[in-house]
Amino acid sequence: QYVYHLDPPPRHGLAAQVGLGKTEAYISRLGELVSVLREGHCVLISVPNHKLSHELKERLRKHGFEAEVYLGPDQKDPDQPDNQMCWIPDKLQIFQKAGIGRELCTACPHRQDCGYQRQRSKQSQVWIGAHQILNPKRKPPIPPVDFVIVDEDPLTAGLEGENLKQPKLLWCDEVPKDVWKAIKRLPLGRAFSRDDFDISDARFHELIRYTFAEKQSVELPKDASMQEIEDAAVTARANGRLVQQAEFYLTILNDGPWGMRALRIKGRGV
């Protein structure tokens, strides 16, 4: 038991052509994994999208496994086809960006009826989800994971701002003057290194502290009305923007600006 906790678990990667039978191969071995799960733990299978999630669930059912699919708040509710899993997903996204999505769910007047909360009561030894579920800290209903099966390339799902329709942008007019000047000196449209960003590590740490300190308290009463949620969303949206700024600073400080570009956008600047 002591050695088990010290040594990393085995990891296996398989590069193979499409249609070779990779999915069928791991389905045939799934029973072996389930049989050695620790109590209350599960096997997590990630796939590129939810169309494949539902197809895989049906394939597993035919092999005798009753799997559950974890659906995000903006997905269609299979039990209520006219609704999304969350009934106010646009508001939830605002609160999640501010780091307080749970607070909205706790106060939401729809929390007893929406599929997003209803799925928290589901239980299974096999969970299926889109690749995006691999990166953030997982919460109920998915229990602790003993085995992870990643079906197809998950790289893009783990990148920040990879959706070109919803890029993550840090505007020069939202940052302190020294950061604005540093951004202006970057080569437009080309990748830049940490050394190109003329801000010291100490200044980045200071910026991160100051940015988080500017966040305002968001108050939501229990059983909040939609108007109260609308009012709180104004503050949450501003807080979310501050969180995103701090994340830019932290990413450049800790990991380097991989994939970032300085751009000039008409009517807004760099």
Side-chain angles (χ1 to χ4, degrees):
Q1 186 72 15
Y2 179 72
V3 173
Y4 177 85
H5 285 293
L6 282 181
D7 293 343
R11 289 156 290 183
H12 305 283
L14 175 65
Q17 66 192 50
V18 175
L20 193 63
K22 302 184 294 295
T23 301
E24 196 63 31
Y26 72 68
I27 290 176
S28 69
R29 301 288 298 274
L30 191 57
E32 298 176 34
L33 302 184
V34 171
S35 69
V36 296
L37 287 175
R38 287 173 288 178
E39 184 177 356
H41 289 219
C42 77
V43 177
L44 176 63
I45 306 174
S46 78
V47 293
N49 56 63
H50 281 303
K51 181 178 182 293
L52 294 177
S53 292
H54 295 296
E55 291 175 359
L56 180 58
K57 179 179 179 178
E58 181 60 22
R59 289 178 68 175
L60 292 178
R61 188 188 64 78
K62 292 178 180 178
H63 283 76
F65 299 102
E66 292 299 328
E68 291 288 353
V69 175
Y70 179 84
L71 296 171
D74 59 344
Q75 297 297 316
K76 288 289 186 181
D77 186 344
D79 298 324
Q80 303 178 72
D82 292 335
N83 293 320
Q84 292 173 280
M85 291 293 286
C86 172
W87 289 12
I88 49 173
D90 56 333
K91 296 296 183 294
L92 179 58
Q93 185 181 58
I94 292 170
F95 280 78
Q96 285 178 329
K97 286 181 177 179
I100 52 174
R102 181 176 294 183
E103 284 81 349
L104 175 61
C105 289
T106 301
C108 181
H110 308 303
R111 66 184 182 277
Q112 303 296 334
D113 304 306
C114 78
Y116 191 55
Q117 291 300 307
R118 193 174 60 251
Q119 77 175 343
R120 291 173 63 89
S121 64
K122 294 184 176 181
Q123 296 182 342
S124 180
Q125 291 182 304
V126 180
W127 278 89
I128 306 168
H131 286 327
Q132 284 81 356
I133 203 172
L134 294 173
N135 302 292
K137 182 179 180 180
R138 287 179 293 275
K139 301 174 183 177
I142 299 177
V145 176
D146 278 354
F147 300 100
V148 179
I149 300 172
V150 182
D151 194 338
E152 298 191 27
D153 185 3
L155 179 60
T156 301
L159 299 178
E160 293 278 0
E162 84 287 350
N163 185 348
L164 294 180
K165 295 181 180 179
Q166 295 179 318
K168 285 194 170 184
L169 300 171
L170 179 65
W171 298 103
C172 283
D173 56 10
E174 295 179 337
V175 299
K177 192 171 183 178
D178 57 338
V179 179
W180 178 82
K181 289 182 176 180
I183 294 174
K184 293 275 283 186
R185 287 193 289 267
L186 295 173
L188 286 176
R190 301 204 311 270
F192 58 89
S193 70
R194 172 67 182 91
D195 292 338
D196 296 326
F197 210 107
D198 191 19
I199 297 291
S200 69
D201 287 359
R203 175 58 173 155
F204 268 130
H205 283 297
E206 183 181 51
L207 286 166
I208 292 167
R209 290 196 303 272
Y210 286 169
T211 302
F212 278 120
E214 288 181 19
K215 291 173 59 181
Q216 301 296 310
S217 175
V218 178
E219 301 294 337
L220 268 179
K222 187 177 180 180
D223 297 319
S225 67
M226 287 308 301
Q227 185 56 57
E228 288 171 323
I229 290 174
E230 290 278 359
D231 294 342
V234 175
T235 304
R237 183 181 284 108
N239 286 349
R241 190 61 194 147
L242 291 170
V243 169
Q244 192 172 74
Q245 287 179 28
E247 287 175 346
F248 267 100
Y249 301 146
L250 192 61
T251 298
I252 295 172
L253 176 65
N254 288 343
D255 304 317
W258 312 121
M260 293 185 185
R261 302 288 189 275
L263 305 173
R264 178 171 285 114
I265 298 177
K266 186 176 181 180
R268 187 67 190 267
V270 179

